Amino acid sequence: MMKGCSDRLEMVRSYLVDETYRDALLVQSELLKGLRETLDAKGFVEILPVILSPITDPLNHEVFDASVEYYGQNYAVTKSMILHKQISVLVHEKIYSVSPNVRLETADKADSGRHLFEFVQLDMEVAGASRDEIMDVMEDAIIYAIRNVLSKYPWVKEKYHPTLKVPAKPFKRITVKEAVEKYGEAFESGLSKDIDEPVWLIDIPLLNREFYDKQDPERPDVLLDFDLIYPEGFGEGISGGEREHEYEQIIRRMKLKGTSPEEYTDYLELAKQGVLKPSAGCGIGIERFTRYVMGLEHVRQTRLFAKVPGESAL
Ligand code: ASP
Ligand code: MG
């Protein structure tokens, strides 16, 4: 049930009385700075986000449609900049964007603690990179950002998250196959509750991801991609991988997933003409990263004007 006007005003009142919001915004600002500084020092170029486009990430799960009609053209509201990232790396080899995403999730996600129907991810991509290189960059970025927060705001530990540590490099890795053997079907939450530092979940099964993550040519049932799983039950915080760029293969992958090629004509034309090149990258959810570092119950506590699935927002 949609919450009404008084709840929305209550939300604003809580900004004024609950110091968690003030603290979370300080931490978030510092985390973003840490991520940006790491990528900037590695030669990345920050590009501006795309909000409306004829094409966007189809996502691997159903959300309500979000699009606008403008002079006869239908523009989707960005679910992720993945397809634009693949084109952007043709201009600058290493790019990132602090990208607002709208995913109109179903109301059952309200209490997951991890979902907002509008959120921000730092979405990065590198031309010609391997999965390992992307994971390495993100380990540096996460370690630097957390260290940065803890040196500036040491109260984060005592006041909010006493068990928080600066993770050590390299982060451990586990394949989805191993995780299923160990934790069963709910492997993502099983893994997350079992670990005390972030762990990479790799080799995601072919049909569990969108068409753009690269199929491993040597093991065709898995993808050369990854999620980062935060410890202590905070769950998934990053998705990424190597990308498909060849026309025939993209079409094959779209058909396997039931994605209609007709909706992606411009993108497919670029692939057909050989314009798309190999790349790899990922996106880190900013509200989820903040929630984990702060040790909070729900991402709604990490930003102003949070839009929780199924609730009416200000
Ligand atoms: N940004 C992610 C990626 O680079 C996709 C996502 O948003 O889930 O793979
Ligand atoms: Mg994901």
Side-chain angles (χ1 to χ4, degrees), residues 47 55 81-92 95 125 266-268 270-271 275-277 279:
I47 61 166
I55 56 169
M81 273 181 59
I82 174 63
L83 307 174
H84 296 83
K85 290 197 299 179
Q86 284 188 277
I87 297 166
S88 304
V89 292
L90 306 172
V91 182
H92 279 290
I95 57 99
E125 195 77 15
D266 295 349
Y267 175 78
L268 287 170
L270 290 173
V275 176
L276 294 186
K277 296 284 182 271
S279 68

Side-chain angles (χ1 to χ4, degrees), residues 147-214:
R147 192 173 279 144
N148 196 36
V149 162
L150 291 179
S151 75
K152 192 154 182 194
Y153 304 128
W155 44 260
V156 169
K157 260 176 89 80
E158 304 100 68
K159 194 169 166 188
Y160 292 100
H161 195 170
T163 51
L164 179 68
K165 333 186 237 191
V166 179
K169 224 184 139 171
F171 299 179
K172 292 203 177 84
R173 298 176 181 201
I174 183 170
T175 65
V176 169
K177 190 161 176 277
E178 291 162 342
V180 171
E181 280 161 16
K182 197 157 173 198
Y183 304 105
E185 279 315 300
F187 59 89
E188 196 180 294
S189 63
L191 171 64
S192 181
K193 285 175 192 148
D194 194 36
I195 55 182
D196 61 1
E197 290 200 12
V199 168
W200 295 110
L201 185 61
I202 61 168
D203 294 357
I204 293 164
L206 183 64
L207 293 177
N208 290 19
R209 272 294 168 75
E210 303 83 344
F211 66 80
Y212 51 76
D213 277 1
K214 191 175 174 66

Side-chain angles (χ1 to χ4, degrees), residues 87-293:
I87 297 166
S88 304
V89 292
L90 306 172
V91 182
H92 279 290
E93 280 185 12
K94 299 172 172 186
I95 57 99
Y96 71 89
S97 192
V98 177
S99 170
N101 290 187
V102 171
R103 299 180 184 179
L104 302 181
E105 308 281 359
T106 47
D108 55 293
K109 300 258 172 59
D111 298 324
S112 70
R114 299 187 295 127
H115 290 88
L116 295 175
F117 65 87
E118 176 189 285
F119 69 97
V120 173
Q121 64 174 324
L122 188 149
D123 221 354
M124 57 86 94
E125 195 77 15
V126 179
S130 66
R131 166 169 81 171
D132 286 349
E133 286 167 320
I134 300 302
M135 290 155 87
D136 186 66
V137 168
M138 293 313 291
E139 288 180 8
D140 287 345
I142 286 169
I143 291 168
Y144 179 85
I146 297 180
R147 192 173 279 144
N148 196 36
V149 162
L150 291 179
S151 75
K152 192 154 182 194
Y153 304 128
W155 44 260
V156 169
K157 260 176 89 80
E158 304 100 68
K159 194 169 166 188
Y160 292 100
H161 195 170
T163 51
L164 179 68
K165 333 186 237 191
V166 179
K169 224 184 139 171
F171 299 179
K172 292 203 177 84
R173 298 176 181 201
I174 183 170
T175 65
V176 169
K177 190 161 176 277
E178 291 162 342
V180 171
E181 280 161 16
K182 197 157 173 198
Y183 304 105
E185 279 315 300
F187 59 89
E188 196 180 294
S189 63
L191 171 64
S192 181
K193 285 175 192 148
D194 194 36
I195 55 182
D196 61 1
E197 290 200 12
V199 168
W200 295 110
L201 185 61
I202 61 168
D203 294 357
I204 293 164
L206 183 64
L207 293 177
N208 290 19
R209 272 294 168 75
E210 303 83 344
F211 66 80
Y212 51 76
D213 277 1
K214 191 175 174 66
Q215 186 172 20
D216 187 339
E218 273 140 42
R219 298 166 308 156
D221 55 330
V222 298
L223 301 168
L224 288 170
D225 63 355
F226 54 81
D227 275 351
L228 184 73
I229 307 298
Y230 293 131
E232 303 176 90
F234 289 101
E236 186 245 329
I238 292 183
S239 296
E242 293 180 24
R243 315 302 187 183
E244 300 289 7
H245 69 286
E246 287 164 335
Y247 176 75
E248 298 293 343
Q249 171 67 358
I250 295 174
I251 293 283
R252 260 199 300 278
R253 294 289 310 286
M254 283 183 163
K255 293 206 166 130
L256 274 176
K257 284 298 291 182
T259 305
S260 346
E262 308 77 59
E263 289 173 30
Y264 294 88
T265 42
D266 295 349
Y267 175 78
L268 287 170
E269 190 55 34
L270 290 173
K272 201 180 211 166
Q273 292 175 12
V275 176
L276 294 186
K277 296 284 182 271
S279 68
C282 71
I284 175 167
I286 299 304
E287 293 90 340
R288 288 183 180 186
F289 190 27
T290 311
R291 173 188 177 228
Y292 157 57
V293 169

